[in-house]
Amino acid sequence: MCNDYAELKPSERLLLGPGPSNADPRVLRAMAAPLVGHLDPEFLQIMNDNMSLLRYVFQTKNELTMAMSGTGSAGMETVFVNLVEPGDKVVVCVNGVFGQRMVDVAQRAGAEVTVVNAPWGQIIEAAEVKKAVESVKPKLVAIVHAETSTGILQPLEEISAICKEADCLLVVDCVTSLGGVEVKIDEWGIDAAYSGTQKCLSCPPGLAPVTFNEKARAVINKRKNKVQSWYLDLTMIQNYWGQERFYHHTAPISMGYALRECLRVIYEEGLEARFARHKLNAEALKAGLKAMGFKLYAQEGRQLPSLTTAWIPEGVEDASTRKFLLNKYNIEIGGGLGEGKGKVWRFGLMGHNSTEKNVLTLLTALEAAFVYQGKTVEPGAGIAAALEVYKNK
Ligand SMILES: *Cc1c(COP(=O)(O)O)cnc(C)c1O
């Protein structure tokens, strides 16, 4: 029998969209290490390291802090299936695709969902959450910290205070903020949160870090009904990550290595330096885009450092331009989602990818794409504006 299948040779893409982002080369090397068993003492030590490093990036002391097997959406599902029982009242804030996904997941877990809507590209106002909480008296409020579909960074402290006063849980989606933007679980009073490895942690998709404080944990351990998902049931999984080390499912070993390495990279850089880097590169990118005639999509002053959204300029075609960038320069950018489809581009500068070199590369490639399409653009205007930001930092 002949072998019709060619050797696997994925292109070396620069992933400047909404995720996945490029993994740090150290992470990819760690993944090539030999496998050990999932109850091997060496792997148990790696799990312990991952728990304590995750506490560092989540800025929490929560004991129940670990990585679920699956992508960011598995983290979302973990939080809802464990905290919600059929008939529970839940308030979900929706100003983009991921808020909408939370509504769907919460409803499938049996929640009676009340939605607090805000226009896409805007934050959720705390006063709106307060109104909903007062009338619904929910068991929990769920909100997205970094809305990757719109590029909004949601302030959380005021909403947390509202939840404390009403004695309901606050659940936060930190998928595109963790490792790129400040996430202070304890200081901000967040009861449960989840993330994913493939965005600002610069690790391949495959694990979903989660953290629950004691209040949330007590809610899980006092459930009347079994958790509807066997695979994501924390009442069982906490016994694998805890002292007992009970077998539940086989941990994805190589992803465990990858997570440890990406968290080590973050620990070495330090959170403050990492957040400052994301901010600076986002500022430079935004300056460059504006100089090239782009208008930003997300609300001024609430723009996310890890993901910038901009309206596609007049006379530029969405799909063919993105295809051009991919085929000619190996650069992936994100198209719009939901309401922004065909109208907005999403530029991710996440983790390892948030660099001056990538900002200048992206602006140059965009200018080239415009020139090839016959759109007039002042040569070098984007680069010059970005460099101005770097020179003045
Ligand atoms: C990417 C993302 C998710 C889903 O993560 P997957 O890894 O795609 O499953 C959830 N929430 C937000 C805000 C995201 O950006």
Side-chain angles (χ1 to χ4, degrees):
M1 197 181 91
C2 71
N3 185 353
D4 289 335
Y5 298 101
E7 188 193 342
L8 188 66
K9 271 191 193 151
S11 299
E12 293 216 16
R13 307 289 201 207
L14 179 55
L15 301 175
L16 301 182
S21 63
N22 292 95
D24 191 296
R26 276 174 57 179
V27 172
L28 296 178
R29 283 197 296 276
M31 293 182 82
L35 291 185
V36 296
H38 70 111
L39 293 171
D40 188 307
E42 290 182 16
F43 193 68
L44 299 182
Q45 182 56 48
I46 288 169
M47 289 168 68
N48 287 347
D49 292 347
N50 283 345
M51 284 190 277
S52 59
L53 285 163
L54 281 174
R55 288 185 194 110
Y56 168 72
V57 293
F58 271 124
Q59 303 192 52
T60 183
K61 294 197 170 62
N62 290 343
E63 184 177 278
L64 191 57
T65 301
M66 47 180 225
M68 301 297 289
S69 307
T71 64
S73 306
M76 185 187 291
E77 195 124 21
T78 298
V79 165
F80 285 103
V81 297
N82 282 278
L83 291 177
V84 171
E85 297 196 52
D88 282 347
K89 294 195 171 78
V90 164
V91 167
V92 180
C93 302
V94 178
N95 54 353
V97 164
F98 294 101
Q100 278 178 341
R101 185 175 299 179
M102 291 203 293
V103 172
D104 192 4
V105 171
Q107 283 172 338
R108 286 169 195 239
E112 234 180 77
V113 175
T114 303
V115 175
V116 174
N117 277 300
W120 287 40
Q122 310 269 315
I123 59 162
I124 304 278
E125 295 296 340
E128 297 299 312
V129 178
K130 193 171 161 74
K131 260 192 262 166
V133 166
E134 281 169 0
S135 75
V136 175
K137 304 200 167 29
K139 179 184 196 177
L140 70 82
V141 171
I143 194 163
V144 177
H145 187 211
E147 200 17 287
T148 323
S149 61
T150 65
I152 276 288
L153 181 63
Q154 174 69 43
L156 295 169
E157 281 170 285
E158 217 177 315
I159 290 171
S160 167
I162 291 163
C163 292
K164 289 286 152 311
E165 201 180 308
D167 196 29
C168 67
L169 297 170
L170 176 61
V171 163
V172 178
D173 176 319
C174 301
V175 177
T176 298
S177 52
L178 192 72
V181 185
E182 195 90 75
V183 174
K184 295 182 168 180
I185 296 295
D186 290 358
E187 193 179 316
W188 294 346
I190 296 166
D191 297 295
Y194 59 89
S195 189
T197 43
Q198 51 137 324
K199 312 262 167 108
C200 300
L201 299 181
S202 293
C203 180
L207 288 176
V210 295
T211 186
F212 294 77
N213 67 10
E214 288 309 310
K215 188 173 166 198
R217 200 172 182 181
V219 168
I220 298 172
N221 290 332
K222 280 196 304 236
R223 289 178 64 97
K224 294 192 212 70
N225 307 285
K226 270 191 178 179
V227 173
Q228 154 262 322
S229 161
W230 181 90
Y231 195 67
L232 301 176
D233 183 348
L234 286 173
T235 65
M236 296 193 282
I237 292 172
Q238 66 185 356
N239 297 328
Y240 171 50
W241 286 78
Q243 296 301 318
E244 302 85 351
R245 304 294 186 179
F246 280 140
Y247 164 66
H248 179 259
H249 67 271
T250 309
I253 304 295
S254 308
M255 280 308 298
Y257 300 164
L259 179 62
R260 185 174 181 280
E261 193 61 17
C262 80
L263 294 172
R264 247 163 50 87
V265 169
I266 295 175
Y267 189 76
E268 286 167 21
E269 180 174 12
L271 291 179
E272 289 313 313
R274 195 170 175 94
F275 301 149
R277 174 163 65 80
H278 279 78
K279 227 168 136 189
L280 174 66
N281 291 313
E283 288 312 316
L285 174 64
K286 286 190 282 187
L289 290 172
K290 283 186 202 160
M292 289 178 70
F294 282 90
K295 294 219 163 26
L296 300 181
Y297 174 73
Q299 181 180 349
E300 184 69 41
R302 300 295 183 194
Q303 293 155 352
L304 192 54
S306 46
L307 184 107
T308 297
T309 47
W311 294 100
I312 302 170
E314 200 92 19
V316 175
E317 213 273 319
D318 175 26
S320 61
T321 309
R322 283 190 287 122
K323 203 164 145 193
F324 174 90
L325 292 173
L326 191 69
N327 293 338
K328 195 157 175 83
Y329 301 125
N330 264 324
I331 297 174
E332 178 179 279
I333 62 165
L337 267 190
E339 293 180 3
K341 196 169 183 335
K343 299 180 204 153
V344 171
W345 280 337
R346 296 181 296 152
F347 304 106
L349 292 171
M350 301 184 186
H352 178 72
N353 278 354
S354 175
T355 63
E356 179 173 333
K357 177 180 169 207
N358 286 346
V359 169
L360 300 182
T361 302
L362 175 58
L363 292 169
T364 308
L366 284 169
E367 183 178 322
F370 288 2
V371 169
Y372 273 104
Q373 288 182 51
K375 183 176 164 55
T376 353
V377 29
E378 191 192 327
I383 297 285
L387 285 173
E388 214 38 50
V389 172
Y390 288 118
K391 281 193 300 184
N392 296 329
K393 73 166 179 229

